[in-house]
Amino acid sequence: MERTHLSPYTNHHHTTTKHHPYSDSGATETCPDDDKWASRLLRECAQAISNKDSGKINHLLWMLNELSSPYGDFDQKLAYYFLQALFCKATDSGQRCYKTLVNVADKSHCFDSARKLILKFQEVSPWTTFGHVASNGAILEAFDGETKLHIIDISNTLCTQWPTLLEALATRSDETPSLKLTVVVTAAMVRSVMKEITSRMEKFARLMGVPFAFNVINGSDRPLGKLTKEELGVEDDEAIAVNCMGALRRVEVEERVDVIRLFGSLNPRVVTVVEEEADFTTSRNDFVKCFEESLRFYTLYFEMLEESFSPTSNERLALERECSRSIVRVLSCDDNHNIGLGDCERREKGNQWCERLNEHFSPVGFSDDVVDDVKALLKRYRTGWSMALDQTNPNSNKGSGILLAWKDEPVVWASAWKP
């Protein structure tokens, strides 16, 4: 196909004035509602790619390129970020494009900017703090009465989850326990800032008066399930908790059973799992179905960002760009398992994770106190957020966890498990 009409790296500077997406196009016989032009054009383009209709692909990509902008209204933004993935899929350039996007982001990645972005996101949205509060509550309850604690943290949120847990341990009515925190890093960009995080965590633990040890393990250069108890520093007299915060989606689907088996071998008091509520696995061999699920999920995410940040927010733009890399990864290169970046994006929904976890664990369910803490957290944010119990697990009358919903659409699933 012709590649001269557009490039995924083009900087667009369109005004936010709405264009009619089907003007002089001949792309469809009926005109869609103006409010839905982006999703309709994107769906039509995805179908054309699936059908290998090169003429229609060229025409729709050209239209999307003309109409989209990362600085425009919601539809223009949605079109822009999905256009890049569709272009890469159509030209079989996803792997090269994704590596370029990651390399560019990596060069500008530093601790201060990453920390400010995460903290600002947590300030305006409970997308990550929901899982932090739920998991911390379950971990603290599982550690009740224990004096030698070890948390194995598999996440990429720069340890923003742990200051509140350290405060809770410092104010425990009985003896202050010791805490060992082992962070397994699964994202390449996070590795570069772990030295600074180590220093800050150790300083905060001293301030809280909690005996503390901090270890970092690189989990991005090999399958996570290949880690051993010895590498993780697990000792027989420790109370173990395994915390997985949005990181298991980076594990290849075929290797997830091995990871869950590893968790079981550690004999943990609790395993907490928090994942975004999207399914990019069952449709992995059907591009149109995978596209539809991606469009559904990321539309919710972009809508949430639009209503949470100001239109000129640099943080919002950074989060959207980060999200766009995930869209490229999901739609245009995720069938290539070994691109060397440890960055799988095959999300699964809570009921799918339950099927895997039920083989080795039983759901704990969150206590009334933890649920109340989560509800109190959501009250700090704008209207539109809610919590629901997930009742999909047939093996437990407690259900399989709790769901964070944005405008009644589930977006994040949190759960706690025991061997």
Side-chain angles (χ1 to χ4, degrees):
M1 63 172 287
E2 291 289 333
R3 302 190 190 189
T4 57
H5 295 306
L6 80 164
S7 164
Y9 310 110
T10 300
N11 289 320
H12 297 251
H13 295 284
H14 301 312
T15 66
T16 58
T17 303
K18 274 199 172 179
H19 303 265
H20 196 291
Y22 283 87
S23 58
D24 301 321
S25 72
T28 184
E29 295 178 0
T30 59
C31 290
D33 297 334
D34 283 345
D35 290 342
K36 298 180 179 179
W37 69 260
S39 59
R40 294 206 181 187
L41 275 179
L42 291 167
R43 285 191 177 98
E44 199 167 342
C45 188
Q47 187 64 61
I49 290 172
S50 179
N51 295 340
K52 302 185 186 304
D53 185 340
S54 59
K56 196 169 186 179
I57 292 169
N58 277 330
H59 179 69
L60 288 165
L61 288 177
W62 178 84
M63 284 181 64
L64 286 163
N65 191 53
E66 289 299 303
L67 295 169
S68 64
S69 168
Y71 309 107
D73 62 20
F74 179 81
D75 268 44
Q76 288 174 308
K77 282 174 173 280
L78 190 68
Y80 177 81
Y81 290 119
F82 272 90
L83 165 64
Q84 188 170 51
L86 290 174
F87 177 86
C88 290
K89 180 69 175 179
T91 58
D92 198 27
S93 59
Q95 186 169 329
R96 182 175 69 252
C97 174
Y98 182 75
K99 286 184 176 181
T100 300
L101 292 172
V102 170
N103 288 337
V104 169
D106 196 21
K107 288 177 181 177
S108 62
H109 195 264
C110 67
F111 175 76
D112 282 338
S113 62
R115 179 180 62 88
K116 288 177 182 177
L117 180 61
I118 286 176
L119 292 178
K120 182 61 177 178
F121 186 39
Q122 293 177 355
E123 177 187 324
V124 301
S125 167
W127 197 280
T128 55
T129 52
F130 167 81
H132 289 179
V133 171
S135 297
N136 280 355
I139 291 169
L140 286 168
E141 290 179 350
F143 279 166
D144 188 36
E146 299 291 343
T147 59
K148 192 174 182 181
L149 316 178
H150 186 179
I151 298 173
I152 297 167
D153 180 31
I154 306 172
S155 65
N156 297 302
T157 54
L158 307 190
C159 292
T160 52
Q161 177 176 349
W162 303 122
T164 54
L165 184 134
L166 280 166
E167 289 184 50
L169 293 178
T171 57
R172 214 165 78 166
S173 57
D174 53 354
E175 177 186 353
T176 300
S178 65
L179 174 64
K180 181 196 297 181
L181 181 60
T182 298
V183 177
V184 181
V185 178
T186 62
M189 282 190 289
V190 176
R191 290 204 307 270
S192 64
V193 299
M194 288 311 297
K195 183 176 180 180
E196 179 69 25
I197 292 172
T198 300
S199 174
R200 286 176 177 249
M201 288 296 298
E202 290 174 343
K203 182 178 180 180
F204 187 77
R206 287 196 299 271
L207 180 65
M208 290 291 101
V210 177
F212 185 68
F214 190 84
N215 303 311
V216 179
I217 294 176
N218 180 13
S220 64
D221 59 350
R222 56 183 160 159
L224 198 59
K226 299 297 184 182
L227 291 173
T228 65
K229 289 177 66 173
E230 291 72 25
E231 288 175 293
L232 294 169
V234 172
E235 299 176 13
D236 292 338
D237 60 345
E238 295 174 332
I240 305 294
V242 179
N243 181 73
C244 303
M245 189 70 56
L248 293 186
R249 67 171 180 259
R250 296 178 181 275
V251 178
E252 293 291 352
V253 174
E254 295 79 9
E255 297 166 1
R256 291 175 183 179
V257 173
D258 293 336
V259 173
I260 293 169
R261 190 179 294 117
L262 167 66
F263 296 163
S265 72
L266 304 176
N267 193 29
R269 301 299 170 89
V270 68
V271 175
T272 51
V273 178
V274 178
E275 284 291 335
E276 293 169 341
E277 189 71 354
D279 174 14
F280 298 155
T281 59
T282 56
S283 61
R284 64 192 306 182
N285 296 317
D286 186 327
F287 176 70
V288 172
K289 285 184 178 179
C290 186
F291 176 84
E292 287 287 349
E293 175 67 356
S294 300
L295 184 63
R296 180 200 69 81
F297 176 75
Y298 288 117
T299 296
L300 287 170
Y301 185 77
F302 282 127
E303 285 176 347
M304 177 273 298
L305 291 180
E306 183 177 47
E307 295 194 28
S308 300
F309 289 92
S310 67
T312 57
S313 167
N314 288 329
E315 291 91 354
R316 174 186 169 188
L317 186 61
L319 288 165
E320 288 171 343
R321 286 173 175 166
E322 183 180 286
C323 189
S324 74
R325 294 195 295 274
S326 295
I327 295 171
V328 170
R329 181 70 169 96
V330 170
L331 293 179
S332 63
C333 60
D334 207 48
D335 52 339
N336 300 316
H337 295 305
N338 300 310
I339 64 173
L341 294 168
D343 213 12
C344 177
E345 286 285 352
R346 285 300 180 191
R347 291 165 173 79
E348 291 186 299
K349 291 186 176 181
N351 63 320
Q352 295 168 287
W353 284 112
C354 283
E355 291 181 13
R356 301 177 186 281
L357 289 159
N358 277 327
E359 294 294 321
H360 297 275
F361 295 94
S362 300
V364 175
F366 292 104
S367 69
D368 291 341
D369 288 341
V370 174
V371 169
D372 287 344
D373 287 344
V374 172
K375 289 179 178 177
L377 170 77
L378 298 186
K379 290 179 181 178
R380 291 167 32 193
Y381 295 96
R382 62 174 294 117
T383 56
W385 295 103
S386 60
M387 189 213 79
L389 297 177
D390 182 7
Q391 303 289 351
T392 58
N393 192 339
N395 292 354
S396 172
N397 57 13
K398 297 180 180 179
S400 60
I402 55 178
L403 290 161
L404 174 68
W406 166 247
K407 296 186 176 179
D408 299 323
E409 291 287 339
V411 291
V412 180
W413 174 74
S415 63
W417 303 79
K418 64 180 180 180

